[in-house]
Amino acid sequence: MAEKMTPEKVWNEFETACTFKAGLNLYDNVQANENFYIGKQWEGVQANGLPTPVFNFIKRIILYVVASTATDNLKMAASPMSSNGSMDVAQIERITQVMTTQFEALFEYNKLAKQLREFMRNAAVDGDGCIYSYFDENAETGQTAKGTIKTEIMENTRVAFGNPNNRDVQSQPYILVSRRELLSEVKEEAKENGQDPDSIISDTDETNDRFDAMTDGKVTTVMKFWKDKETGHVFAMKVVNGSTVKPE
């Protein structure tokens, strides 16, 4: 019988992942790399009154590489796999055309060309890039049915893998995605999901937040994804420290 998922278990896994990343000096390295990229290359250095010149060629090189690599003409097209004979060629072509048109609409809706440039910029500066795609069931579509696929860029400090020594994402035992969200919005989400909003309180994220003033009224949320080995179904659960926002 599978172990029951609890917010305490998810949060413990999140803290273990944070400890592992801290052991690799990931947070410090990302901070130092970001400072070098934006021109704060003397951060923490005691100059004792001596001049601190900055020649920020790093940013120019990265922007040039990103601009020359990330094209706005990136497309995604559907194509049929081998037919089982139950549909004719014309029907298959109509279905693939509908899917291709939908891909184009999603690329435009999510401004994916712009996101890919940010993705490559993060990979160049921080060492990793991550695009997180999910289905937003409350998104307005202009039709009766709501919901659409959304994508967002995640920093490498916000994503954790169950087995960080395995680079294959599909075989991971679980994936954790952490966010800093407004406390009021998380409380409302918990209420909509039948959870206790009063159990959710604001916190500080000293590891990832660079400005203390920005931590007020926010809370760290962790979304866990894992796959059932027998059925292959993917499950998800969203928690804060000690409470559930969205149940399994």
Side-chain angles (χ1 to χ4, degrees), residues 31 40 180 205-206 208-216:
Q31 182 69 66
K40 295 173 62 177
R180 292 290 288 163
D205 188 352
E206 297 177 357
N208 292 307
D209 273 311
R210 299 172 187 171
F211 307 102
D212 292 339
M214 297 176 64
T215 63
D216 293 339

Side-chain angles (χ1 to χ4, degrees), residues 157-225:
T157 55
R158 295 291 184 188
V159 182
F161 298 102
N163 182 4
N165 297 310
N166 182 3
R167 65 176 62 190
D168 182 18
V169 176
Q170 294 299 327
S171 63
Q172 289 292 332
Y174 60 84
I175 299 175
L176 303 176
V177 174
S178 64
R179 284 193 180 98
R180 292 290 288 163
E181 299 188 56
L182 292 175
L183 178 63
S184 58
E185 294 181 355
V186 177
K187 282 179 172 288
E188 183 63 28
E189 183 180 358
K191 184 178 180 180
E192 291 176 355
N193 291 318
Q195 305 302 306
D196 181 14
D198 294 332
S199 65
I200 299 173
I201 58 176
S202 61
D203 62 11
T204 57
D205 188 352
E206 297 177 357
T207 302
N208 292 307
D209 273 311
R210 299 172 187 171
F211 307 102
D212 292 339
M214 297 176 64
T215 63
D216 293 339
K218 292 186 178 180
V219 62
T220 300
T221 63
V222 178
M223 179 78 84
K224 178 178 180 177
F225 301 93

Side-chain angles (χ1 to χ4, degrees), residues 16 27 41 65 97 109 132 148 164 167 210 212 239 246:
T16 299
Y27 301 111
Q41 298 175 8
V65 172
Q97 181 58 47
Y109 174 79
Y132 171 46
T148 187
R167 65 176 62 190
R210 299 172 187 171
D212 292 339
V239 308
K246 188 171 186 178

Side-chain angles (χ1 to χ4, degrees), residues 148-164:
T148 187
I149 296 173
K150 286 189 176 181
T151 64
E152 64 179 83
I153 301 298
M154 300 291 294
E155 300 92 342
N156 59 359
T157 55
R158 295 291 184 188
V159 182
F161 298 102
N163 182 4

Side-chain angles (χ1 to χ4, degrees), residues 13-222:
E13 292 170 341
F14 170 64
E15 289 186 327
T16 299
C18 290
T19 301
F20 177 81
K21 290 181 179 182
L24 297 176
N25 293 322
L26 177 66
Y27 301 111
D28 292 339
N29 288 339
V30 168
Q31 182 69 66
N33 291 354
E34 289 288 343
N35 283 338
F36 264 72
Y37 177 77
I38 64 176
K40 295 173 62 177
Q41 298 175 8
W42 291 87
E43 190 79 3
V45 176
Q46 300 297 326
N48 297 323
L50 296 174
T52 55
V54 174
F55 302 96
N56 194 359
F57 60 87
I58 297 175
K59 185 174 183 178
R60 291 181 177 271
I61 292 174
I62 290 176
L63 290 178
Y64 173 78
V65 172
V66 171
S68 61
T69 307
T71 173
D72 289 339
N73 297 323
L74 183 67
K75 302 290 183 182
M76 184 175 181
S79 60
M81 300 175 66
S82 57
S83 174
N84 59 8
S86 60
M87 292 188 293
D88 57 33
V89 175
Q91 187 178 7
I92 293 176
E93 289 181 349
R94 284 195 298 271
I95 293 174
T96 54
Q97 181 58 47
V98 169
M99 294 179 65
T100 298
T101 303
Q102 185 65 23
F103 288 149
E104 293 176 355
L106 287 170
F107 268 50
E108 179 63 26
Y109 174 79
N110 288 290
K111 302 294 187 289
L112 206 59
K114 179 182 178 181
Q115 287 195 351
L116 285 174
R117 287 192 288 272
E118 184 180 354
F119 168 88
M120 294 188 64
R121 177 263 185 211
N122 287 354
V125 177
D126 302 338
D128 297 290
C130 179
I131 292 182
Y132 171 46
S133 298
Y134 62 97
F135 188 79
D136 184 353
E137 57 191 13
N138 297 316
E140 294 290 345
T141 61
Q143 303 177 19
T144 303
K146 293 183 178 182
T148 187
I149 296 173
K150 286 189 176 181
T151 64
E152 64 179 83
I153 301 298
M154 300 291 294
E155 300 92 342
N156 59 359
T157 55
R158 295 291 184 188
V159 182
F161 298 102
N163 182 4
N165 297 310
N166 182 3
R167 65 176 62 190
D168 182 18
V169 176
Q170 294 299 327
S171 63
Q172 289 292 332
Y174 60 84
I175 299 175
L176 303 176
V177 174
S178 64
R179 284 193 180 98
R180 292 290 288 163
E181 299 188 56
L182 292 175
L183 178 63
S184 58
E185 294 181 355
V186 177
K187 282 179 172 288
E188 183 63 28
E189 183 180 358
K191 184 178 180 180
E192 291 176 355
N193 291 318
Q195 305 302 306
D196 181 14
D198 294 332
S199 65
I200 299 173
I201 58 176
S202 61
D203 62 11
T204 57
D205 188 352
E206 297 177 357
T207 302
N208 292 307
D209 273 311
R210 299 172 187 171
F211 307 102
D212 292 339
M214 297 176 64
T215 63
D216 293 339
K218 292 186 178 180
V219 62
T220 300
T221 63
V222 178

